Amino acid sequence: MIRSPFLYLLITLLLFSCTEKTAIPIDNKNVKEEAFNLREKGITQLQQKNFNSAFYSFNKSKIIYEKIKDSANIVYNLIQMASIQQINGDYYGSKETLTEALPYIKRKDIYSASINNFFGIADKELAIYEDAVFYYKEAINDCTDSISKQSPLNNIAVVYILQKKYDKAILILESILDKKNLDSILSSKSKSRITDNLGFAYFKIGKPDKGLFLMNESLKLRTKTEDFYGSIESYLHLAEYYSKTDTKKSNDYAKKAYDTATKSNSIDERLRALSFLISNGSEVKYGQKYISLNDSIIKVRNNFKNKFAKIKYDSKKEKDENQKLRLEKIENELSLQKARYQRIFFIIGLLSLFFLLLYLRKFYQNRNRIEKIKTAYDTETRIAKDIHDELANDVFHAITYTQTQPLTIENNKETLLQKLDHIYSRVRGISRENNDINTGPNYPDNLKEMLSTYNSNQTNVIINGIEKINWDSVEDLKKIAVQRVLHELMVNMKKHSGASIVVIKFENTSNSLSINYTDNGKGCEKSKIIKNGLQNMENRILSNKGTITFETEPDKGFKVKITMPK
């Protein structure tokens, strides 16, 4: 077993190349603290209605949480950002923000329910009612308790009221109010909101008394609990209730809604209150207020949309720049490491190449020695077989002849001389077969002479085209292979064929050499070709990237075609 030092160096090289390239570590504790402080700051700013500042803080917190892959806080910040956008009328922007949160949702929980509920609110405000109902239902499926289901259920009822599907809305709202232990399940705000919507739905289906009773009950509860924002909706519903029957009462409720909405800075509700006052034929000033307020709110909301988009864009730009700087720092460190590794690899490469060359030299020396030993053994075996099979028999017959025949008779003496001459020719043939082949300028003449020795009274050997071959363009190894193969063919013919005519034709192309051998001997079944000598021929030709094919049938001669690249 050959153990190469090159192999050990290669393993060492691979171990060096597998050294881990580590990025700059992040101090998670400080990062978490910074992200948490920004989130709390955003909550405070949202409570103070500083919407731009709150949006900025939540967005900044979200980006930092992304670095440490804190999915829950990423989603929380995105939901807060979407709610701020909805408060300021940016419903399409809020849907984009909510979509950012979806990849972080891995299971149904309060966050997934909240996201679907906000999707529903956005589509409701955009009058995409069917989609809104779909998202509210998804929110209900994601809720983990009966309390959290009440808000999306009420929202579905509100959409049905907007679609004038009052019966469906009543069924949902009644089902909520019929719950046992209602006071412990619903907060006062939720109960008053559901009661008000139920009363408004009864009013719309033609049950004004029941509707008025429920709406008044809701307003009383809202006043008692100081739910001023919720009372705006009660005033607006009552303003609509009295708009056909009592204009004064309708205007009173509309003015109350307007005043309360103004204090709460609720622009949409102020506009709805003004629309009732205008439709009831009140002073022209309300019309002017409506136009002025509507124009103002459009500008403000567009301004908010642009600011939200700019905050996101600036944050992304800052994030990309920070990431770029961080990557540049990492790349600089890696470049220094790479330079060090390159020097190590270069030295190891030179040493590896040196030991590889030593290894290959030793390997080829061993292989050549083994091949020479094998060749010598094969040659000796072949010579021994020829001597045993042919010469030993001829010598034995010659000796027997001298012992049984009187040599004083001239004819017997002549016969013995012929036998001895034949033995001498056989010895020369064996010697010639195993001699080194001269591949120099005399190669074609020597080859022709070798083939011509098989001419006899019984066999006529015809050689065509040998002089036309440019033998100088043929490699020496291929010349040796050609002569050995042709010699084996001639020996095979002499032993087995009994041919009277042998034709050997040489053909030359720019890239290859072709030799066609044909004799008119006995031939044989192709499956019964004696493989010993023929196998040697195949091996010689194939080892030189050539091809050899045999064609033979009983009493139809023997054909061989050899093609070999130069």
Side-chain angles (χ1 to χ4, degrees):
M1 180 178 178
I2 298 172
R3 289 184 173 87
S4 169
F6 165 73
L7 179 62
Y8 300 119
L9 281 169
L10 181 60
I11 293 170
T12 305
L13 181 65
L14 289 172
L15 287 173
F16 270 108
S17 66
C18 291
T19 302
E20 184 180 0
K21 297 176 181 177
T22 55
I24 298 171
I26 297 173
D27 187 345
N28 282 358
K29 184 177 180 181
N30 290 338
V31 169
K32 279 185 178 179
E33 187 176 347
E34 182 184 1
F36 176 79
N37 291 337
L38 280 166
R39 192 192 72 179
E40 293 303 302
K41 184 179 180 181
I43 294 170
T44 302
Q45 290 166 334
L46 179 57
Q47 290 170 348
Q48 296 170 349
K49 298 187 179 181
N50 295 326
F51 298 119
N52 285 338
S53 300
F55 189 89
Y56 176 85
S57 296
F58 285 127
N59 188 59
K60 195 80 172 175
S61 175
K62 183 261 300 185
I63 290 171
I64 298 173
Y65 276 123
E66 284 175 341
K67 292 180 182 178
I68 56 175
K69 299 180 181 179
D70 187 337
S71 299
N73 278 299
I74 293 170
V75 173
Y76 178 85
N77 281 297
L78 286 168
I79 290 173
Q80 295 301 323
M81 291 164 64
S83 72
I84 292 170
Q85 288 174 295
Q86 291 193 3
I87 290 169
N88 291 279
D90 184 11
Y91 298 108
Y92 285 111
S94 75
K95 291 177 73 173
E96 290 178 5
T97 302
L98 292 168
T99 302
E100 286 184 51
L102 294 179
Y104 299 101
I105 300 297
K106 304 301 180 185
R107 57 189 175 84
K108 293 181 178 182
D109 57 14
I110 189 64
Y111 287 129
S112 62
S114 181
I115 288 170
N116 281 312
N117 195 53
F118 274 114
F119 268 124
I121 292 171
D123 284 335
K124 182 199 77 172
E125 295 298 329
L126 294 168
I128 311 173
Y129 297 129
E130 295 302 326
D131 286 356
V133 170
F134 168 80
Y135 284 116
Y136 287 140
K137 287 180 178 179
E138 289 294 302
I140 292 169
N141 291 334
D142 291 349
C143 288
T144 55
D145 57 78
S146 57
I147 296 174
S148 55
K149 291 181 180 181
Q150 308 313 316
S151 178
L153 276 170
N154 178 72
N155 290 339
I156 292 174
V158 171
V159 173
Y160 285 152
I161 290 171
L162 291 171
Q163 291 180 301
K164 299 182 179 179
K165 298 176 181 179
Y166 303 115
D167 290 331
K168 283 188 173 184
I170 289 169
L171 283 174
I172 292 173
L173 297 170
E174 289 279 15
S175 71
I176 299 172
L177 292 174
D178 283 345
K179 295 283 185 185
K180 293 181 179 180
N181 302 318
L182 182 63
D183 292 335
S184 62
I185 294 174
L186 296 176
S187 66
S188 298
K189 286 185 179 181
S190 297
K191 184 178 179 181
S192 59
R193 181 171 62 252
I194 294 165
T195 304
D196 181 56
N197 288 329
L198 181 60
F200 186 74
Y202 273 122
F203 155 62
K204 284 294 187 179
I205 62 169
K207 295 184 178 180
D209 294 339
K210 187 171 184 178
L212 180 60
F213 172 78
L214 290 170
M215 285 188 283
N216 281 327
E217 285 296 310
S218 172
L219 181 57
K220 288 176 185 177
L221 185 57
R222 281 169 165 167
T223 303
K224 181 180 177 181
T225 57
E226 297 184 346
D227 180 10
F228 300 116
Y229 181 78
S231 65
I232 299 171
E233 192 69 21
S234 291
Y235 292 140
L236 290 171
H237 281 167
L238 289 167
E240 185 172 348
Y241 177 87
Y242 286 112
S243 62
K244 303 295 184 184
T245 58
D246 192 333
T247 303
K248 184 177 181 304
K249 277 190 176 182
S250 178
N251 284 341
D252 287 342
Y253 282 119
K255 287 177 182 179
K256 286 180 180 179
Y258 180 82
D259 293 339
T260 308
T262 302
K263 291 175 184 177
S264 302
N265 197 28
S266 302
I267 306 299
D268 290 321
E269 284 77 5
R270 286 172 68 189
L271 288 172
R272 286 174 62 193
L274 287 171
S275 68
F276 280 118
L277 291 168
I278 293 167
S279 63
N280 289 337
S282 299
E283 295 90 337
V284 177
K285 65 177 181 178
Y286 291 122
Q288 293 172 341
K289 279 185 179 182
Y290 185 93
I291 294 170
S292 175
L293 186 60
N294 192 49
D295 290 343
S296 176
I297 193 60
I298 291 171
K299 290 178 183 178
V300 169
R301 285 181 173 170
N302 285 336
N303 188 39
F304 270 118
K305 290 177 186 178
N306 293 333
K307 283 184 178 179
F308 294 149
K310 189 174 187 304
I311 288 169
K312 278 190 172 184
Y313 174 79
D314 290 343
S315 296
K316 185 178 183 304
K317 186 177 178 183
E318 182 182 355
K319 177 184 174 184
D320 291 342
E321 288 175 354
N322 290 337
Q323 182 70 6
K324 184 180 178 183
L325 291 172
R326 189 163 177 268
L327 288 174
E328 286 176 356
K329 189 174 180 180
I330 294 171
E331 285 173 1
N332 289 335
E333 290 191 359
L334 292 178
S335 295
L336 293 174
Q337 287 184 3
K338 184 179 178 182
R340 288 196 294 269
Y341 289 147
Q342 283 176 338
R343 287 194 292 271
I344 294 170
F345 293 161
F346 180 72
I347 294 169
I348 292 174
L350 286 177
L351 291 172
S352 301
L353 181 60
F354 173 73
F355 284 110
L356 175 62
L357 292 174
L358 288 179
Y359 169 73
L360 291 175
R361 183 166 175 258
K362 184 177 180 181
F363 173 78
Y364 283 113
Q365 283 175 344
N366 289 337
R367 193 174 75 169
N368 290 336
R369 182 171 60 83
I370 292 167
E371 286 180 352
K372 285 179 181 178
I373 292 170
K374 186 177 182 298
T375 302
Y377 174 78
D378 291 342
T379 301
E380 289 170 1
T381 302
R382 188 171 62 254
I383 293 170
K385 188 175 185 300
D386 288 344
I387 291 172
H388 177 272
D389 292 350
E390 299 177 18
L391 290 180
N393 287 337
D394 291 344
V395 170
F396 175 77
H397 288 310
I399 293 171
T400 302
Y401 188 82
T402 61
Q403 292 174 344
T404 59
Q405 301 295 327
L407 298 179
T408 54
I409 300 173
E410 189 65 28
N411 286 340
N412 291 345
K413 184 178 179 180
E414 184 66 29
T415 301
L416 177 60
L417 289 173
Q418 287 178 357
K419 288 180 180 293
L420 292 173
D421 184 64
H422 177 71
I423 291 170
Y424 173 72
S425 297
R426 292 294 302 133
V427 170
R428 285 192 64 193
I430 293 171
S431 175
R432 187 184 301 111
E433 177 185 349
N434 295 284
N435 279 344
D436 290 337
I437 294 173
N438 183 357
T439 58
N442 295 325
Y443 173 79
D445 296 332
N446 294 336
L447 178 60
K448 191 171 183 180
E449 181 185 352
M450 184 273 291
L451 295 172
S452 298
T453 58
Y454 290 90
N455 259 318
S456 65
N457 292 332
Q458 292 80 26
T459 305
N460 182 20
V461 178
I462 301 170
I463 304 167
N464 290 329
I466 193 169
E467 298 86 358
K468 296 179 181 179
I469 304 298
N470 181 13
W471 292 103
D472 292 337
S473 65
V474 180
E475 295 177 2
D476 288 349
L477 289 175
K478 293 176 181 177
K479 290 179 185 177
I480 293 170
V482 167
Q483 185 153 334
R484 295 288 190 210
V485 168
L486 288 176
H487 183 270
E488 288 173 6
L489 279 173
M490 299 307 290
V491 170
N492 186 69
M493 177 273 298
K494 197 74 173 177
K495 286 182 178 180
H496 308 293
S497 175
S500 60
I501 298 175
V502 177
V503 179
I504 303 170
K505 184 177 180 182
F506 293 83
E507 294 181 339
N508 186 42
T509 66
S510 59
N511 298 319
S512 64
L513 168 67
S514 295
I515 302 170
N516 290 294
Y517 170 93
T518 307
D519 70 38
N520 64 348
K522 296 176 183 177
C524 66
E525 292 288 345
K526 197 170 184 180
S527 60
K528 296 181 179 179
I529 291 176
I530 299 173
K531 275 293 181 182
N532 290 336
L534 300 183
Q535 188 67 55
N536 290 336
M537 294 182 213
E538 285 183 331
N539 291 340
R540 289 184 190 279
I541 298 303
L542 293 174
S543 66
N544 285 279
K545 300 181 180 179
T547 59
I548 182 168
T549 56
F550 302 96
E551 292 183 23
T552 182
E553 290 183 23
D555 301 323
K556 291 189 178 181
F558 189 74
K559 293 182 181 179
V560 180
K561 183 173 183 179
I562 300 168
T563 304
M564 193 181 299
K566 293 182 179 180

